Amino acid sequence: MEELEHTCPHPRTALTEPAIFAQETSCECRAPHEKLSVEQARRGTPVDRPVRVYADGIFDLFHSGHARALMQAKNLFPNTYLIVGVCSDELTHKYKGFTVMTEEERYEALRHCRYVDEVVRDAPWTLTPEFLEKHKIDFVAHDDIPYSSAGSEDVYKHIKEAGMFVPTQRTEGISTSDLITRIVRDYDVYARRNLERGYTAKELNVSYINEKKYRLQNQVDRMKEKVRTVEEKSKHFVYRVEEKSHDLIQKWEEKSREFIGNFLELFGPDGTWKQMFQDRSGRMIQAFSPRGSPSSSPPRDFSPSRSPSPPSRWAMPRTSPPSSPKGASASISSMSEGDEDEK
């Protein structure tokens, strides 16, 4: 019997480039696809091929919750080849509702997820044995919450009964419905923003009255922003003025202390100016005060040939102050002798 050769071209290493589009599985393995148990897959067997895991969904407004679910599916087993099925707009609108992104946009979003090895476009809503066999799927990964749709209480019920279901955990706080709820809740904000960015009221499905209201609100917001900007600039200017004033006051205080110190040093009780003034006053008093006549000076003689000039009417006789009682008596006697001569 001829031995069948495994010819799967895909490497067993992690994906580093964007996933490729695939209308159908690219695995060209001619070996029979043996069914694996979860225990066997977790032990890393079989060694000749990766474990093929399938995860499907709508993936509208692709977000971190979707990426985390695919990351868990990729890391379920040591050697995993992750196939992601994306349902078309026709099936989604029929069984779930209107989508924000088109199917082409959703395919493209999945193609650039690092955990995805292969994207299956127009995936079926309910997995059939033929589809599982065609893509050689070993396990199906999805959260364990029963997914009721298309008249079924759980579309993954038959997968679970076949032992091919592997659960993943949902990420709380983030979902497509949550994102749409935020948009609906803040509809006015987003409508005003897009009007400001150049979208027309027709493109936004906004009435004429609402368009005028939104534009008026945008103008009010711009005025508020200008006022806020002016207030911030004013606060900055006042802060700079206060800082400059503080510096000027500090410098003025330093100069004032220096001036007062110099003044006290010059004009204080023991200052330089007082010492200079005392020295100058002493020299001036000494210069202007008359020298005292010596007590032993001889009396003034008048020669007979030279008659004294008559005294001025207003002139007072100049006499030196007597230095002693003896000098005073001598002065009086000389004056009397002078009077006798005049007579």
Side-chain angles (χ1 to χ4, degrees), residues 25 37 49 97 100 115 142 147 150 152 160 171 188 246 252-253 258 280 342:
T25 181
S37 64
R49 67 175 180 86
V100 178
Y115 309 113
H142 200 274
Y147 193 82
S152 173
K160 295 176 181 177
T171 302
D188 289 353
H246 180 73
W252 182 82
E253 290 177 350
E258 183 180 354
R280 289 184 180 181
E342 287 180 1

Side-chain angles (χ1 to χ4, degrees), residues 298-302 308 329-343:
R300 192 173 186 181
D301 295 335
F302 295 93
S329 60
S331 300
I332 293 172
S333 62
S334 64
M335 289 177 62
S336 60
E337 290 177 1
D339 292 341
E340 290 177 358
D341 294 336
E342 287 180 1
K343 289 178 182 180

Side-chain angles (χ1 to χ4, degrees), residues 183-240:
I183 296 172
V184 173
R185 180 191 61 198
D186 301 324
Y187 169 77
D188 289 353
V189 176
Y190 296 123
R192 288 167 52 190
R193 182 190 69 177
N194 284 3
L195 281 173
E196 190 72 13
R197 293 181 176 181
Y199 287 87
T200 64
K202 184 177 180 181
E203 290 173 328
L204 297 173
N205 195 24
V206 173
S207 65
Y208 177 81
I209 295 176
N210 284 337
E211 179 190 3
K212 298 303 179 184
K213 181 183 72 173
Y214 293 151
R215 294 192 184 280
L216 179 61
Q217 289 174 341
N218 287 337
Q219 292 179 358
V220 172
D221 288 346
R222 284 195 296 270
M223 290 298 297
K224 288 181 179 179
E225 186 64 28
K226 288 182 179 179
V227 171
R228 192 178 301 110
T229 303
V230 171
E231 288 179 351
E232 292 295 328
K233 290 183 178 180
S234 301
K235 288 180 182 178
H236 182 66
F237 176 75
V238 170
Y239 174 76
R240 291 186 61 186

Side-chain angles (χ1 to χ4, degrees), residues 79-149:
N79 186 17
T80 301
Y81 183 83
L82 181 60
I83 307 166
V84 178
V86 183
C87 299
S88 64
D89 287 345
E90 183 181 358
L91 282 177
T92 305
H93 297 167
K94 179 179 178 181
Y95 293 114
K96 188 172 184 178
F98 192 73
T99 58
V100 178
M101 300 170 67
T102 65
E103 60 181 71
E104 293 297 332
E105 292 169 339
R106 293 184 284 119
Y107 298 153
E108 187 69 14
L110 267 298
R111 191 174 76 89
H112 291 279
C113 179
R114 63 183 299 181
Y115 309 113
V116 178
D117 295 303
E118 183 180 331
V119 176
V120 176
R121 297 182 286 186
D122 193 14
W125 197 260
T126 302
L127 299 178
T128 62
E130 293 78 16
F131 181 83
L132 297 175
E133 179 63 28
K134 176 182 178 181
H135 294 279
K136 296 180 172 58
I137 296 170
D138 294 307
F139 299 99
V140 176
H142 200 274
D143 61 79
D144 204 12
I145 300 174
Y147 193 82
S148 58
S149 179

